[in-house]
Coordinates of all heavy atoms in Angstrom, one line a residue:
M1 N -5.3 14.9 -24.7 CA -4.7 13.7 -24.2 C -5.7 12.9 -23.4 O -6.5 13.5 -22.6 CB -3.5 13.9 -23.3 CG -2.8 12.8 -22.6 SD -1.4 13.3 -21.5 CE -0.2 12.3 -22.3
A2 N -5.8 11.7 -23.5 CA -6.8 10.9 -22.8 C -6.4 10.7 -21.3 O -5.3 10.6 -21.0 CB -7.0 9.4 -23.5
R3 N -7.5 10.8 -20.5 CA -7.3 10.6 -19.1 C -7.1 9.1 -18.8 O -7.7 8.2 -19.3 CB -8.6 11.0 -18.5 CG -8.6 10.9 -17.0 CD -9.9 11.6 -16.4 NE -9.7 11.6 -14.9 CZ -10.7 11.7 -14.2 NH1 -11.9 11.9 -14.6 NH2 -10.5 11.8 -12.8
P4 N -6.2 8.8 -17.9 CA -6.0 7.4 -17.6 C -7.1 6.6 -17.0 O -7.8 7.3 -16.2 CB -4.8 7.5 -16.6 CG -4.3 8.8 -16.5 CD -5.4 9.7 -17.1
A5 N -7.3 5.4 -17.4 CA -8.5 4.7 -16.9 C -8.1 4.3 -15.4 O -7.1 4.0 -15.0 CB -8.7 3.4 -17.7
G6 N -9.1 4.2 -14.7 CA -9.1 3.7 -13.2 C -9.1 4.8 -12.3 O -9.0 6.0 -12.5
H7 N -8.8 4.5 -11.0 CA -8.9 5.4 -9.9 C -7.7 5.1 -9.0 O -7.4 4.0 -8.7 CB -10.3 5.3 -9.1 CG -11.4 5.5 -9.9 ND1 -11.8 6.7 -10.3 CD2 -12.2 4.6 -10.7 CE1 -12.9 6.7 -11.0 NE2 -13.1 5.4 -11.3
S8 N -7.1 6.2 -8.6 CA -5.9 6.1 -7.8 C -6.2 5.9 -6.3 O -7.3 6.6 -5.8 CB -5.1 7.3 -7.8 OG -4.4 7.5 -9.1
L9 N -5.5 5.1 -5.6 CA -5.7 4.8 -4.2 C -5.2 6.0 -3.3 O -4.1 6.5 -3.6 CB -5.0 3.6 -3.7 CG -5.2 3.2 -2.3 CD1 -6.6 2.5 -2.2 CD2 -4.1 2.2 -2.0
N10 N -6.0 6.5 -2.3 CA -5.6 7.5 -1.3 C -4.7 6.7 -0.4 O -5.2 6.1 0.6 CB -6.7 8.1 -0.7 CG -6.4 9.1 0.3 OD1 -5.3 9.1 0.8 ND2 -7.3 9.9 0.6
R11 N -3.4 6.8 -0.4 CA -2.5 6.1 0.4 C -2.6 6.4 1.8 O -2.5 5.5 2.8 CB -1.0 6.4 -0.1 CG 0.1 5.7 0.6 CD -0.1 4.2 0.5 NE 0.8 3.5 1.4 CZ 2.0 3.0 1.1 NH1 2.5 3.1 -0.1 NH2 2.8 2.4 1.9
W12 N -2.8 7.6 2.2 CA -3.1 8.0 3.7 C -4.2 7.4 4.1 O -4.2 6.7 5.3 CB -3.1 9.5 3.7 CG -1.9 10.3 3.4 CD1 -0.6 9.8 3.5 CD2 -1.7 11.6 3.1 NE1 0.3 10.8 3.2 CE2 -0.4 11.9 2.9 CE3 -2.7 12.6 2.9 CZ2 0.1 13.2 2.6 CZ3 -2.3 13.9 2.4 CH2 -0.8 14.1 2.2
A13 N -5.4 7.4 3.5 CA -6.5 6.7 4.0 C -6.3 5.1 4.1 O -6.7 4.4 5.1 CB -7.8 6.9 3.1
W14 N -5.6 4.6 3.2 CA -5.2 3.2 3.1 C -4.4 2.9 4.3 O -4.8 2.0 5.1 CB -4.4 2.8 2.0 CG -3.8 1.5 1.9 CD1 -2.5 1.1 2.2 CD2 -4.5 0.2 1.7 NE1 -2.3 -0.2 2.2 CE2 -3.5 -0.8 1.8 CE3 -5.8 -0.1 1.5 CZ2 -3.8 -2.2 1.7 CZ3 -6.0 -1.5 1.2 CH2 -5.1 -2.4 1.4
D15 N -3.4 3.6 4.6 CA -2.6 3.4 5.7 C -3.3 3.4 7.1 O -3.2 2.5 8.0 CB -1.3 4.3 5.9 CG -0.3 3.9 4.8 OD1 -0.3 2.9 4.2 OD2 0.4 4.9 4.5
D16 N -4.2 4.5 7.2 CA -5.0 4.7 8.5 C -6.0 3.5 8.6 O -6.1 3.0 9.8 CB -5.7 6.0 8.4 CG -4.9 7.1 8.6 OD1 -3.7 7.1 9.1 OD2 -5.4 8.3 8.2
L17 N -6.6 3.1 7.5 CA -7.6 2.0 7.6 C -6.9 0.7 8.0 O -7.5 -0.1 8.8 CB -8.4 1.8 6.3 CG -9.4 3.0 6.1 CD1 -9.8 3.0 4.8 CD2 -10.6 2.9 7.1
L18 N -5.8 0.5 7.5 CA -5.1 -0.9 7.9 C -4.7 -0.8 9.4 O -4.9 -1.8 10.1 CB -3.9 -1.0 7.0 CG -4.1 -1.5 5.6 CD1 -2.8 -2.0 5.0 CD2 -5.1 -2.7 5.6
R19 N -4.3 0.4 9.7 CA -4.0 0.4 11.2 C -5.1 0.3 12.1 O -5.1 -0.4 13.1 CB -3.3 1.9 11.5 CG -2.6 1.9 12.8 CD -1.9 3.1 13.0 NE -2.6 4.4 12.8 CZ -2.4 5.2 11.9 NH1 -1.5 5.0 10.9 NH2 -3.2 6.2 11.5
F20 N -6.2 0.9 11.7 CA -7.5 0.8 12.5 C -8.1 -0.5 12.5 O -8.6 -0.9 13.5 CB -8.5 2.0 12.1 CG -8.1 3.3 12.3 CD1 -8.3 4.3 11.4 CD2 -7.3 3.7 13.4 CE1 -8.1 5.6 11.6 CE2 -6.9 4.9 13.5 CZ -7.3 6.0 12.7
T21 N -8.1 -1.3 11.3 CA -8.7 -2.6 11.3 C -7.9 -3.7 11.6 O -8.3 -4.8 12.0 CB -9.1 -2.8 9.8 OG1 -8.1 -2.9 9.1 CG2 -10.2 -1.8 9.4
G22 N -6.6 -3.4 11.7 CA -5.6 -4.5 12.0 C -5.5 -5.6 10.9 O -4.8 -6.6 11.1
L23 N -5.9 -5.2 9.8 CA -5.8 -6.1 8.5 C -4.4 -5.8 7.8 O -3.9 -4.7 8.0 CB -6.9 -5.8 7.5 CG -8.4 -6.2 8.0 CD1 -9.2 -5.8 7.0 CD2 -8.4 -7.7 8.3
T24 N -4.0 -6.8 7.1 CA -2.7 -6.6 6.3 C -3.1 -6.6 4.9 O -4.3 -6.8 4.6 CB -1.8 -7.9 6.5 OG1 -2.4 -9.0 6.0 CG2 -1.5 -8.1 7.9
L25 N -2.2 -6.1 4.0 CA -2.6 -6.0 2.6 C -2.9 -7.4 2.1 O -3.9 -7.5 1.3 CB -1.2 -5.6 1.9 CG -1.4 -5.4 0.3 CD1 -0.5 -4.1 0.1 CD2 -0.8 -6.5 -0.5
T26 N -2.3 -8.5 2.5 CA -2.8 -9.8 2.1 C -4.2 -10.3 2.5 O -4.9 -10.8 1.8 CB -1.7 -10.8 2.7 OG1 -0.3 -10.5 2.3 CG2 -2.0 -12.2 2.3
D27 N -4.5 -9.8 3.8 CA -5.9 -10.0 4.2 C -6.9 -9.4 3.4 O -7.9 -10.0 2.9 CB -6.1 -9.4 5.6 CG -5.3 -10.1 6.8 OD1 -4.9 -11.4 6.6 OD2 -5.0 -9.5 7.7
V28 N -6.8 -8.1 3.0 CA -7.6 -7.3 2.2 C -7.6 -7.9 0.8 O -8.7 -8.1 0.2 CB -7.1 -5.8 2.2 CG1 -8.1 -5.0 1.1 CG2 -7.2 -5.2 3.4
A29 N -6.5 -8.3 0.3 CA -6.6 -8.8 -1.1 C -7.3 -10.2 -1.1 O -8.2 -10.4 -2.0 CB -5.2 -9.2 -1.6
G30 N -7.1 -11.0 -0.1 CA -7.9 -12.2 0.0 C -9.4 -12.0 0.1 O -10.2 -12.6 -0.5
R31 N -9.8 -11.2 1.0 CA -11.2 -10.8 1.3 C -11.9 -10.2 0.0 O -13.1 -10.4 -0.2 CB -11.4 -10.1 2.5 CG -11.0 -10.8 3.7 CD -11.1 -10.0 5.0 NE -10.7 -10.6 6.1 CZ -10.7 -10.3 7.3 NH1 -11.4 -9.2 7.7 NH2 -10.2 -11.0 8.4
A32 N -11.1 -9.4 -0.7 CA -11.8 -8.6 -1.8 C -11.6 -9.6 -3.0 O -12.1 -9.2 -4.1 CB -11.0 -7.5 -2.1
E33 N -10.9 -10.7 -2.9 CA -10.8 -11.6 -4.1 C -10.1 -11.0 -5.3 O -10.5 -11.0 -6.3 CB -12.1 -12.2 -4.5 CG -12.7 -13.1 -3.4 CD -14.1 -13.5 -3.8 OE1 -14.6 -13.3 -4.8 OE2 -14.7 -14.4 -3.0
I34 N -8.9 -10.3 -5.0 CA -8.1 -9.8 -6.0 C -6.6 -10.2 -5.7 O -6.3 -10.5 -4.5 CB -8.2 -8.2 -6.2 CG1 -7.8 -7.6 -4.8 CG2 -9.5 -7.7 -6.5 CD1 -7.5 -6.0 -4.9
P35 N -5.8 -10.4 -6.7 CA -4.5 -10.9 -6.5 C -3.6 -9.8 -5.5 O -3.9 -8.6 -5.7 CB -3.8 -10.8 -7.8 CG -5.0 -11.0 -8.8 CD -6.0 -10.3 -8.2
R36 N -2.9 -10.4 -4.7 CA -2.1 -9.6 -3.8 C -1.2 -8.5 -4.6 O -1.1 -7.4 -4.2 CB -1.2 -10.4 -2.9 CG -0.6 -9.5 -1.8 CD 0.5 -10.4 -1.1 NE 1.2 -9.5 0.0 CZ 2.0 -8.6 -0.3 NH1 2.4 -8.4 -1.5 NH2 2.6 -8.0 0.7
A37 N -0.6 -9.0 -5.7 CA 0.2 -8.2 -6.5 C -0.6 -7.0 -7.1 O 0.0 -6.0 -7.2 CB 0.8 -9.0 -7.6
T38 N -1.8 -7.1 -7.3 CA -2.6 -6.1 -7.9 C -2.9 -5.1 -6.8 O -2.7 -3.8 -7.0 CB -4.1 -6.7 -8.4 OG1 -3.8 -7.6 -9.5 CG2 -4.9 -5.5 -9.0
L39 N -3.2 -5.5 -5.7 CA -3.4 -4.6 -4.7 C -2.2 -3.8 -4.2 O -2.1 -2.6 -4.0 CB -4.0 -5.3 -3.4 CG -4.4 -4.4 -2.3 CD1 -5.3 -3.3 -2.6 CD2 -5.0 -5.3 -1.1
S40 N -1.0 -4.6 -4.1 CA 0.2 -4.0 -4.0 C 0.5 -2.9 -5.0 O 1.1 -1.7 -4.7 CB 1.3 -5.1 -4.0 OG 2.5 -4.5 -3.8
G41 N 0.3 -3.2 -6.3 CA 0.5 -2.0 -7.3 C -0.4 -0.9 -7.2 O -0.1 0.2 -7.4
L42 N -1.6 -1.0 -6.5 CA -2.4 0.0 -6.3 C -2.0 0.8 -5.2 O -2.0 2.1 -5.2 CB -4.0 -0.4 -5.9 CG -4.8 -1.1 -7.0 CD1 -6.0 -1.7 -6.4 CD2 -5.2 0.0 -7.9
V43 N -1.5 0.3 -4.1 CA -1.0 0.8 -3.0 C 0.4 1.6 -3.3 O 0.6 2.8 -2.9 CB -0.6 -0.1 -1.8 CG1 0.1 0.6 -0.6 CG2 -1.9 -0.7 -1.4
G44 N 1.3 1.1 -4.3 CA 2.4 1.7 -4.6 C 2.2 2.8 -5.7 O 3.1 3.5 -6.0
G45 N 1.0 2.9 -6.2 CA 0.7 4.0 -7.1 C 1.0 3.5 -8.6 O 1.1 4.3 -9.4
H46 N 1.3 2.2 -8.8 CA 1.7 1.8 -10.1 C 0.5 1.4 -10.9 O 0.6 1.2 -12.2 CB 2.6 0.6 -10.0 CG 3.9 0.8 -9.1 ND1 4.8 1.7 -9.6 CD2 4.1 0.4 -7.9 CE1 5.8 1.8 -8.6 NE2 5.4 1.0 -7.5
H47 N -0.6 1.1 -10.3 CA -1.8 0.7 -11.0 C -3.0 1.6 -10.5 O -2.9 2.2 -9.5 CB -2.2 -0.7 -10.6 CG -1.2 -1.8 -11.1 ND1 -0.8 -2.0 -12.4 CD2 -0.3 -2.5 -10.3 CE1 0.3 -2.8 -12.5 NE2 0.4 -3.2 -11.2
R48 N -4.1 1.7 -11.2 CA -5.3 2.3 -10.9 C -6.4 1.2 -10.8 O -6.4 0.2 -11.6 CB -5.7 3.3 -11.9 CG -4.7 4.5 -11.9 CD -5.0 5.3 -13.2 NE -4.2 6.6 -13.0 CZ -4.8 7.8 -12.4 NH1 -6.1 7.8 -12.1 NH2 -4.0 8.8 -12.4
A49 N -7.4 1.4 -9.8 CA -8.5 0.5 -9.8 C -9.6 0.7 -10.6 O -10.1 1.9 -10.9 CB -8.9 0.5 -8.3
S50 N -10.2 -0.4 -11.1 CA -11.5 -0.3 -11.8 C -12.6 -0.1 -10.7 O -12.3 -0.2 -9.5 CB -11.8 -1.6 -12.6 OG -12.0 -2.6 -11.5
I51 N -13.8 0.4 -11.2 CA -14.9 0.6 -10.2 C -15.3 -0.7 -9.5 O -15.3 -0.5 -8.2 CB -16.1 1.2 -10.9 CG1 -15.7 2.7 -11.4 CG2 -17.3 1.2 -10.0 CD1 -16.7 3.2 -12.3
P52 N -15.3 -1.8 -10.1 CA -15.6 -3.0 -9.2 C -14.6 -3.3 -8.2 O -14.9 -3.7 -7.1 CB -15.9 -4.2 -10.3 CG -16.1 -3.4 -11.6 CD -15.5 -2.2 -11.5
V53 N -13.3 -3.3 -8.7 CA -12.2 -3.5 -7.7 C -12.2 -2.6 -6.6 O -12.1 -2.8 -5.4 CB -10.8 -3.5 -8.4 CG1 -9.7 -3.6 -7.5 CG2 -10.7 -4.7 -9.3
A54 N -12.4 -1.3 -6.9 CA -12.4 -0.3 -5.9 C -13.5 -0.5 -4.8 O -13.4 -0.4 -3.7 CB -12.7 1.2 -6.4
H55 N -14.8 -1.0 -5.4 CA -15.8 -1.2 -4.5 C -15.7 -2.5 -3.6 O -15.9 -2.5 -2.4 CB -17.2 -1.4 -5.3 CG -17.7 -0.1 -5.6 ND1 -18.8 0.5 -4.8 CD2 -17.5 0.7 -6.6 CE1 -19.2 1.6 -5.4 NE2 -18.4 1.8 -6.5
R56 N -15.0 -3.4 -4.2 CA -14.6 -4.7 -3.4 C -13.7 -4.3 -2.3 O -13.9 -4.8 -1.1 CB -14.2 -5.7 -4.3 CG -15.2 -6.4 -5.2 CD -14.9 -7.7 -5.8 NE -13.6 -8.0 -6.2 CZ -13.3 -7.9 -7.6 NH1 -14.2 -7.7 -8.5 NH2 -12.0 -8.2 -8.0
I57 N -12.7 -3.5 -2.5 CA -11.7 -3.2 -1.6 C -12.4 -2.3 -0.3 O -12.2 -2.6 0.7 CB -10.5 -2.4 -2.1 CG1 -9.7 -3.3 -3.1 CG2 -9.6 -1.8 -1.1 CD1 -8.8 -2.5 -3.9
A58 N -13.2 -1.5 -0.9 CA -13.9 -0.5 0.1 C -14.9 -1.4 1.0 O -14.9 -1.2 2.2 CB -14.7 0.6 -0.5
R59 N -15.4 -2.4 0.4 CA -16.3 -3.2 1.1 C -15.6 -4.0 2.3 O -16.1 -4.1 3.4 CB -17.1 -4.1 0.3 CG -18.0 -5.2 1.1 CD -18.6 -6.2 0.2 NE -19.8 -5.8 -0.3 CZ -20.5 -6.6 -1.1 NH1 -20.1 -7.7 -1.5 NH2 -21.7 -6.2 -1.5
V60 N -14.5 -4.5 1.9 CA -13.6 -5.2 2.9 C -13.4 -4.4 4.1 O -13.3 -4.8 5.4 CB -12.4 -5.9 2.4 CG1 -11.5 -6.3 3.4 CG2 -12.8 -6.9 1.2
L61 N -13.0 -3.1 3.8 CA -12.6 -2.1 4.9 C -13.7 -1.4 5.4 O -13.6 -0.6 6.4 CB -11.5 -1.1 4.3 CG -10.3 -1.8 3.9 CD1 -9.4 -0.8 3.1 CD2 -9.5 -2.3 5.1
D62 N -15.0 -1.7 5.0 CA -16.1 -1.1 5.6 C -16.2 0.5 5.5 O -16.7 1.2 6.4 CB -16.4 -1.5 7.0 CG -17.9 -1.3 7.4 OD1 -18.8 -1.2 6.5 OD2 -18.2 -1.1 8.6
V63 N -15.8 1.0 4.3 CA -15.8 2.4 4.0 C -16.5 2.7 2.7 O -16.6 1.7 1.8 CB -14.4 3.0 4.1 CG1 -13.8 2.8 5.4 CG2 -13.5 2.3 2.9
H64 N -16.8 3.8 2.4 CA -17.3 4.3 1.1 C -16.2 4.3 0.2 O -15.0 4.7 0.4 CB -17.8 5.9 1.3 CG -18.5 6.2 0.0 ND1 -17.8 6.7 -1.0 CD2 -19.8 6.2 -0.2 CE1 -18.6 7.1 -2.1 NE2 -19.9 6.9 -1.7
P65 N -16.4 3.9 -1.0 CA -15.3 3.8 -2.0 C -14.5 5.2 -2.3 O -13.4 5.2 -2.5 CB -15.9 3.4 -3.3 CG -17.2 2.6 -2.9 CD -17.6 3.3 -1.6
G66 N -15.2 6.3 -2.1 CA -14.7 7.5 -2.2 C -13.6 8.0 -1.1 O -12.9 8.8 -1.2
T67 N -13.7 7.2 0.0 CA -12.8 7.4 1.1 C -11.3 6.9 0.5 O -10.4 7.6 0.8 CB -13.1 6.6 2.4 OG1 -14.4 7.0 2.7 CG2 -12.1 6.7 3.4
L68 N -11.4 5.7 -0.1 CA -10.0 5.2 -0.6 C -9.6 5.7 -2.0 O -8.5 5.8 -2.4 CB -10.3 3.7 -0.7 CG -10.0 3.0 0.6 CD1 -10.3 1.6 0.4 CD2 -8.7 3.2 1.2
F69 N -10.8 6.0 -2.8 CA -10.4 6.4 -4.2 C -11.2 7.7 -4.4 O -12.6 7.8 -4.7 CB -10.8 5.3 -5.2 CG -10.2 4.0 -5.0 CD1 -10.9 3.1 -4.1 CD2 -9.2 3.8 -5.6 CE1 -10.2 1.9 -3.9 CE2 -8.5 2.5 -5.3 CZ -9.1 1.6 -4.6
E70 N -10.6 8.9 -4.3 CA -11.2 10.2 -4.3 C -12.0 10.4 -5.6 O -13.0 11.2 -5.4 CB -10.1 11.2 -4.2 CG -9.5 11.3 -2.8 CD -8.5 12.3 -2.7 OE1 -8.8 13.5 -3.0 OE2 -7.5 12.0 -2.0
G71 N -11.7 9.8 -6.6 CA -12.5 10.1 -8.0 C -13.8 9.3 -8.0 O -14.6 9.6 -8.7
L72 N -14.1 8.6 -6.8 CA -15.3 7.7 -6.8 C -16.3 8.6 -5.8 O -16.0 8.5 -4.6 CB -15.2 6.4 -6.4 CG -14.5 5.5 -7.4 CD1 -14.2 4.1 -6.7 CD2 -15.4 5.4 -8.5
G73 N -17.2 9.1 -6.3 CA -18.2 9.8 -5.4 C -19.6 9.1 -5.6 O -19.7 8.0 -6.0
A74 N -20.5 9.8 -5.2 CA -21.9 9.3 -5.2 C -22.4 8.9 -6.6 O -23.3 8.1 -6.7 CB -22.9 10.3 -4.6
R75 N -21.7 9.5 -7.7 CA -22.2 9.3 -9.0 C -21.9 7.8 -9.5 O -22.4 7.3 -10.4 CB -21.5 10.2 -9.9 CG -20.1 10.0 -10.1 CD -19.5 11.1 -11.1 NE -18.3 10.7 -11.6 CZ -17.0 11.0 -11.0 NH1 -17.1 11.6 -10.0 NH2 -16.0 10.6 -11.5
H76 N -21.1 7.1 -8.7 CA -20.8 5.7 -9.1 C -21.5 4.8 -8.2 O -21.2 4.6 -7.0 CB -19.2 5.5 -8.9 CG -18.4 6.1 -9.9 ND1 -18.4 6.0 -11.2 CD2 -17.6 7.3 -9.8 CE1 -17.6 6.8 -11.8 NE2 -17.1 7.7 -11.0
E77 N -22.3 4.0 -8.8 CA -23.2 3.0 -8.1 C -22.4 1.8 -7.9 O -21.5 1.5 -8.6 CB -24.5 2.8 -9.0 CG -25.3 3.9 -9.3 CD -26.7 3.9 -8.5 OE1 -27.0 2.9 -8.1 OE2 -27.3 5.2 -8.5
V78 N -22.8 1.0 -6.9 CA -22.1 -0.2 -6.8 C -22.4 -1.3 -7.9 O -23.7 -1.4 -8.1 CB -22.6 -0.9 -5.4 CG1 -22.0 -2.3 -5.2 CG2 -22.4 -0.1 -4.2
P79 N -21.5 -1.8 -8.5 CA -21.6 -2.6 -9.7 C -22.4 -4.0 -9.1 O -22.3 -4.3 -7.9 CB -20.2 -3.1 -10.2 CG -19.4 -2.0 -9.6 CD -20.1 -1.4 -8.3
A80 N -23.2 -4.5 -10.1 CA -24.0 -5.7 -9.6 C -23.2 -6.8 -9.1 O -23.6 -7.6 -8.1 CB -24.8 -6.1 -10.8
E81 N -22.0 -7.0 -9.6 CA -21.2 -8.2 -9.2 C -20.6 -8.0 -7.9 O -20.2 -8.9 -7.3 CB -20.1 -8.6 -10.3 CG -19.1 -7.4 -10.4 CD -19.3 -6.5 -11.5 OE1 -20.4 -6.3 -12.0 OE2 -18.4 -5.7 -11.9
V82 N -20.6 -6.7 -7.3 CA -20.1 -6.4 -6.1 C -21.3 -6.3 -5.0 O -21.0 -6.5 -3.9 CB -19.3 -5.1 -6.0 CG1 -18.7 -4.8 -4.7 CG2 -18.2 -5.2 -7.1
A83 N -22.4 -5.9 -5.5 CA -23.6 -5.6 -4.5 C -24.0 -6.8 -3.7 O -24.6 -6.6 -2.6 CB -24.7 -5.0 -5.3
S84 N -23.8 -8.1 -4.2 CA -24.4 -9.2 -3.6 C -23.6 -9.7 -2.6 O -22.4 -9.3 -2.3 CB -24.5 -10.3 -4.6 OG -23.4 -10.7 -5.3

């Protein structure tokens, strides 16, 4: 059976980071330039993040992508469209 594409959001890390930063889901979605509905689906466990989306969300929260998406470790470089 094929493995599902994308990476699951660590909900505990997400909740902690929002509390520590004072940001809302809407704030993060806007700053990461992704639809709020997409981010809501990630938080709810209904969707999985692509590597570029995971990096954009992590950048907004100023954390390593692996903090929010456990499947993303050092082996995943920052995509060029996110690095700038």
